[in-house]
Amino acid sequence: TIHDVAFKEFPEAYPRRERWYTDHATRLAVRHADRIIAPTHAVARDLERYYGCDPQKVTVIHHGVDLRIANSAQWDSRFQIPDSRFLLYVGRLESKKNVVRMIEAFDRVASQYPNIHLVLAGNPGHGYENIRAAITRSPFRDRIATPGWIDPATYHALLARASLFLFPTLAEGFGLPILEAMAAGVPVITSKGHAHEEVAGDAAMLVDPTETDDITRGIIRVLSDARLCNDLVQKGKH
């Protein structure tokens, strides 16, 4: 199984040693494996584009999601999230996840929505120093929570309370959190194109992940339009 080759498109988002290792391992796999599983057609196309992989050698198998997520939530009060609306991102806090632009978009939204908060749950990764700096300079840093790694029960509880799930990352091989948020009945904002759009279809608000303005517009549209929000939730469940 080759989960993704995003390091080819966004090399600056990966440590040099990791880029070398994954590139070398992928070349060996493409050359010697009898069959390759890819989680999306987007990854299958990338294998052909960057490594000349025979498309007949690749089988695409999409990931599944536990539909019981919506009924497994128990709130953990340790995080002290105010009883108000919040945007949720779950994943490593690293460059390829585009967290700095999420914070910048939140800054613009927060000035219009004084009761909105941002929760960024996950361990630090490559480029975390830039994320920490973005939080520090945010005029709304007291409304940004970084609980670190969270267990599945807490993740599901956060999903149950989130106003929307924010996932405009730069690259994914699949993007399982997109489906998990949909299963929990939460509207999703994710990236146009590549694996994100293949997984989300028309059941998410799609934005340009390289444009903070577009991420901001997407958040405001979902927060301000109840009909749109409900439409995304209903499509996500089906």
Side-chain angles (χ1 to χ4, degrees):
T1 299
I2 299 178
H3 295 283
D4 71 76
V5 292
F7 56 88
K8 301 294 285 187
E9 188 170 358
F10 298 100
E12 70 283 355
Y14 294 78
R16 181 179 300 178
R17 182 182 180 88
E18 183 179 341
R19 290 201 311 269
W20 176 85
Y21 176 81
T22 50
D23 181 54
H24 182 66
T26 302
R27 290 185 188 280
L28 287 176
V30 168
R31 185 180 307 135
H32 297 294
D34 296 310
R35 299 290 296 174
I36 293 172
I37 295 172
T40 54
H41 294 283
V43 173
R45 289 192 296 269
D46 282 347
L47 289 173
E48 183 178 5
R49 173 186 176 189
Y50 291 113
Y51 294 96
C53 183
D54 180 358
Q56 299 301 315
K57 194 177 185 177
V58 182
T59 299
V60 174
I61 303 176
H62 289 143
H63 295 316
V65 64
D66 188 345
L67 297 178
R68 297 171 297 179
I69 286 176
N71 300 315
S72 63
Q74 292 185 351
W75 178 244
D76 188 333
S77 61
R78 287 177 301 160
F79 298 120
Q80 299 179 341
I81 303 301
D83 190 17
S84 61
R85 306 173 85 183
F86 66 87
L87 320 179
L88 175 64
Y89 160 78
V90 175
R92 291 187 71 85
L93 304 185
E94 59 187 1
S95 298
K96 71 174 180 177
K97 297 298 187 179
N98 209 27
V99 180
V100 169
R101 288 195 182 95
M102 294 185 210
I103 295 167
E104 292 171 346
F106 171 73
D107 285 345
R108 301 176 189 184
V109 172
S111 62
Q112 300 182 45
Y113 292 84
N115 294 320
I116 202 77
H117 291 70
L118 174 65
V119 178
L120 304 170
N123 283 331
H126 179 67
Y128 177 71
E129 63 279 2
N130 296 324
I131 295 166
R132 191 73 255 171
I135 294 173
T136 299
R137 65 175 175 263
S138 169
F140 305 101
R141 56 186 172 273
D142 60 332
R143 287 155 59 187
I144 301 175
T146 54
W149 181 87
I150 56 175
D151 58 42
T154 304
Y155 171 33
H156 298 165
L158 284 168
L159 276 177
R161 290 191 57 185
S163 294
L164 65 84
F165 189 73
L166 195 56
F167 206 69
T169 61
L170 294 177
E172 299 292 331
F174 185 86
L176 186 58
I178 295 170
L179 291 189
E180 291 173 334
M182 289 178 176
V186 182
V188 175
I189 292 178
T190 193
S191 304
K192 293 178 180 177
H194 212 256
H196 306 77
E197 192 165 349
E198 181 178 334
V199 172
D202 65 349
M205 171 64 66
L206 301 175
V207 299
D208 182 345
T210 66
E211 294 291 338
T212 302
D213 285 346
D214 204 32
I215 299 171
T216 304
R217 282 192 291 269
I219 295 172
I220 292 173
R221 281 196 64 194
V222 175
L223 291 179
S224 62
D225 189 334
R227 179 176 294 182
L228 170 64
C229 182
N230 183 66
D231 183 53
L232 293 177
V233 168
Q234 294 307 314
K235 287 180 177 178
K237 289 181 177 180
H238 297 93

